Amino acid sequence: MKFSILCFLFLLFSFHEMSAQGPYFIPSNGNIPVANTSVNSMDIESADVDGDGDLDLVIAGEFRRNLLFINDGSGVFAEDASRLFPEKNVNDGFPGEDSEDIVFADFDQDSDLDILFVSEDSLFHELLVNDGAGHFTFIAFDFPSSTGNAVAVLDLNNDDYPDIIIGNNGQNNVYINNQDLSFTAENNRWPKNSEGTQDLKLIDLDGDADLDIIEGIDLGENNVLINNNGFFTEENNRLPNTGLILETRKISLGDANGDGHSDIYVSTVNFIGTANLQNRLYLNDGNGFFTDATNGSLPTSLQNTLDAVFLDYDDDGDMDLITTDFQNPTGTNYHAFENDGSGVFVETTTDVFEAFGLNTGVSIHSADFNNDSYADLYFGNFQETDDLLLFDPAALTIDDFNSSIDIIAYPNPTKGPFRIASINSMDSSELSIQLHNIKGQLVVEKTNFGKSVQPLDITLDLSHLATGTYFYSLFDDDALITKGKVIKE
């Protein structure tokens, strides 16, 4: 066993001598019908809408038609004339609603994903049901008009049907699913509010196994809504009181400092002229209370940032950041920030991206579009065409894989068995292994290895986990020995 591990490491480090690092993300607009994307792409989401095992793209257009791009399985997308979204209101003089946000859910519980678009300055929120093959039709029910900018879906009354929260400019709306593709308003489930909601992010903050909400507000302090049996109460003491005027556009969740808990990145703008432009980083203490770690953790930002995603682009086991700007007078409107592992970020844009033309960014979406186990990027832009960038695995060096001379973890990717082994002997009585998903949730933990002093050789069974990216950590008592990323196929 020790011989085989040593041979593996020899080959690994021999490869390191030959490897060279280049840009991680390569512009790939030839893979999308780029000319069709001049729709002011306010939101982008992906899901397998046609049941063929790959991720398709859905794009929300502002007073334009919404787009559905079907994936051929290799990250090449096309529009299918038989799957174009229908138009809800053909008499309003423009080819779509003012779509601002997208959510997928199986609203009719027929085992496929339906789509809801929420609209801000037009009449209709649009819920379309899927026939299972990616053909969508409107439901008969019409939601009351509201100035919607955000939407969240969760089961509020424990009937296994998804309910809906629409974040508005003013009072937010809660709609309970009647199980027949109609909905009943129950706004008493949400506190009275007059702010403008820009984003709603679901997260279990209080550890009671239901989903709470972090609400991004377009002017003022952001909100925390704690879920109590489907009714929400504000607990804003969970967020830091910065004393700043913030004009929030997006809330992004990810484990910034590697402690297994989701932290908050706040994308901010200054369209009103008096708001603070610095994006914020709030760290979770593990109990759903946050401290402001912006100073010392984030570079100074003077641009209007509309969206951000956490992802581990350098494959070193911690969450880096990608952002997009609506306006940046001093440089490019896309950025990459590398995490040092403790939640301190340094800009590495020119190393991460092969340069591409983006003038006015609105939204970002990250997912594995070409089934190579690495996250790709889609940038939604304003008054210009969008941009698809595919990840180039050749950019990774051995250092990026976070391999250590003492401990290796393989196979990676894996369909089930995942082995962690050491060359040197270790006192395994205090060892523990944790596996977290990309939301920072603990999904696997293994302890109690006994008191033997010998090389570690543990195999975890990940076959029950959904496909995707996970992060493993090996601890000796409370001290971190190693960490890394594993792809579950």
Side-chain angles (χ1 to χ4, degrees):
M1 177 62 63
K2 184 180 293 187
F3 176 78
S4 64
I5 293 174
L6 285 168
C7 289
F8 177 83
L9 285 172
F10 174 78
L11 292 173
L12 195 62
F13 282 90
S14 296
F15 172 80
H16 174 50
E17 295 299 321
M18 298 182 291
S19 62
Q21 188 174 3
Y24 293 102
F25 295 102
I26 307 300
S28 305
N29 282 355
N31 288 27
I32 58 174
V34 66
N36 297 351
T37 64
S38 297
V39 297
N40 298 339
S41 302
M42 306 307 291
D43 191 25
I44 305 109
E45 300 294 340
S46 63
D48 181 12
V49 302
D50 56 357
D52 65 352
D54 55 41
L55 294 176
D56 308 300
L57 278 166
V58 174
I59 300 163
E62 184 182 52
F63 295 112
R64 308 287 199 278
R65 65 186 183 93
N66 298 320
L67 303 178
L68 171 58
F69 292 166
I70 300 297
N71 192 342
D72 72 353
S74 66
V76 177
F77 296 88
E79 282 200 285
D80 180 346
S82 70
R83 292 185 171 104
L84 299 180
F85 291 125
E87 186 175 358
K88 182 75 171 175
N89 186 355
V90 297
N91 299 314
D92 56 9
F94 43 87
E97 301 299 312
D98 180 21
S99 300
E100 298 287 334
D101 205 9
I102 305 167
V103 68
F104 292 103
D106 187 4
F107 291 104
D108 52 4
Q109 294 294 283
D110 65 348
S111 301
D112 57 38
L113 289 174
D114 311 308
I115 300 176
L116 173 62
F117 298 92
V118 296
S119 303
E120 182 181 17
D121 293 320
S122 60
L123 286 176
F124 295 106
H125 306 303
E126 301 173 293
L127 198 159
L128 301 99
V129 291
N130 189 349
D131 69 353
H135 303 91
F136 290 87
T137 55
F138 289 115
I139 64 171
F141 176 84
D142 286 333
F143 295 92
S145 297
S146 65
T147 54
N149 271 300
V151 62
V153 165
L154 68 166
D155 181 11
L156 294 173
N157 57 353
N158 297 315
D159 65 351
D160 295 325
Y161 278 75
D163 307 305
I164 297 167
I165 301 172
I166 296 179
N168 298 310
N169 183 13
Q171 181 63 47
N172 294 340
N173 299 123
V174 179
Y175 294 100
I176 299 300
N177 192 330
N178 295 326
Q179 304 183 13
D180 60 0
L181 293 177
S182 70
F183 295 81
T184 299
E186 294 189 8
N187 289 345
N188 61 314
R189 293 177 178 268
W190 192 270
K192 295 290 185 182
N193 72 283
S194 59
E195 310 101 325
T197 300
Q198 286 292 325
D199 202 8
L200 298 169
K201 284 296 191 297
L202 298 171
I203 178 176
D204 182 11
L205 288 175
D206 54 0
D208 63 353
D210 60 24
L211 291 173
D212 310 303
I213 291 178
I214 299 173
E215 181 184 21
I217 299 299
D218 66 359
L219 188 60
E221 295 292 332
N222 296 316
N223 297 326
V224 169
L225 287 302
I226 297 298
N227 186 348
N228 295 290
N229 299 316
F231 292 80
F232 291 88
T233 56
E234 284 190 3
E235 292 189 12
N236 290 345
N237 61 312
R238 291 176 177 269
L239 293 177
N241 182 5
T242 64
L244 302 171
I245 297 173
L246 296 180
E247 195 175 352
T248 297
R249 275 301 176 268
K250 282 292 181 181
I251 299 291
S252 303
L253 302 180
D255 183 7
N257 59 353
D259 66 352
H261 304 289
S262 290
D263 307 304
I264 300 172
Y265 186 86
V266 183
S267 297
T268 64
V269 297
N270 182 23
F271 295 155
I272 63 169
T274 58
N276 188 288
L277 261 181
Q278 175 65 50
N279 299 326
R280 316 301 299 179
L281 178 65
Y282 302 153
L283 297 182
N284 190 338
D285 70 353
N287 297 303
F289 290 83
F290 295 84
T291 56
D292 189 353
T294 303
N295 293 336
S297 295
L298 296 182
T300 300
S301 59
L302 299 175
Q303 57 269 15
N304 289 281
T305 303
L306 260 66
D307 205 356
V309 293
F310 282 99
L311 75 162
D312 182 15
Y313 59 69
D314 54 3
D315 209 39
D316 64 351
D318 55 42
M319 301 301 283
D320 310 303
L321 273 167
I322 305 290
T323 67
T324 190
D325 305 333
F326 190 77
Q327 297 169 333
N328 180 11
T330 62
T332 60
N333 286 312
Y334 55 89
H335 305 272
F337 300 95
E338 183 177 343
N339 191 341
D340 72 351
S342 68
V344 176
F345 294 86
V346 176
E347 183 159 8
T348 55
T349 300
T350 55
D351 295 329
V352 170
F353 289 102
E354 182 177 306
F356 65 104
L358 187 164
N359 297 312
T360 312
V362 179
S363 52
I364 315 175
H365 182 66
S366 175
D368 179 13
F369 299 133
N370 56 355
N371 292 311
D372 66 352
S373 300
Y374 294 98
D376 308 302
L377 293 171
Y378 190 103
F379 285 82
N381 303 325
F382 186 78
Q383 295 183 348
E384 61 182 296
T385 55
D386 295 345
D387 293 285
L388 173 69
L389 291 93
L390 296 179
F391 186 87
D392 181 10
L396 293 171
T397 66
I398 275 304
D399 291 337
D400 291 323
F401 285 103
N402 196 38
S403 297
S404 114
I405 192 64
D406 296 317
I407 295 173
I408 61 171
Y410 65 97
N412 194 0
T414 180
K415 295 183 181 297
F418 182 60
R419 188 175 181 182
I420 299 176
S422 69
I423 295 175
N424 299 323
S425 295
M426 305 175 68
D427 180 357
S428 58
S429 60
E430 301 293 335
L431 294 182
S432 64
I433 297 172
Q434 295 180 354
L435 194 74
H436 293 84
N437 62 20
I438 60 173
K439 295 181 179 179
Q441 299 166 328
L442 180 67
V443 294
V444 173
E445 184 171 27
K446 190 171 181 64
T447 57
N448 300 320
F449 297 111
K451 296 184 178 298
S452 59
V453 178
Q454 60 185 9
L456 179 69
D457 191 356
I458 298 295
T459 298
L460 303 178
D461 181 11
L462 310 186
S463 60
H464 65 288
L465 297 177
T467 58
T469 301
Y470 297 87
F471 301 92
Y472 67 87
S473 302
L474 175 65
F475 295 93
D476 182 359
D477 196 6
D478 291 328
L480 179 66
I481 299 175
T482 191
K483 63 181 180 178
K485 180 171 75 172
V486 57
I487 306 295
K488 169 62 169 54
E489 293 183 329

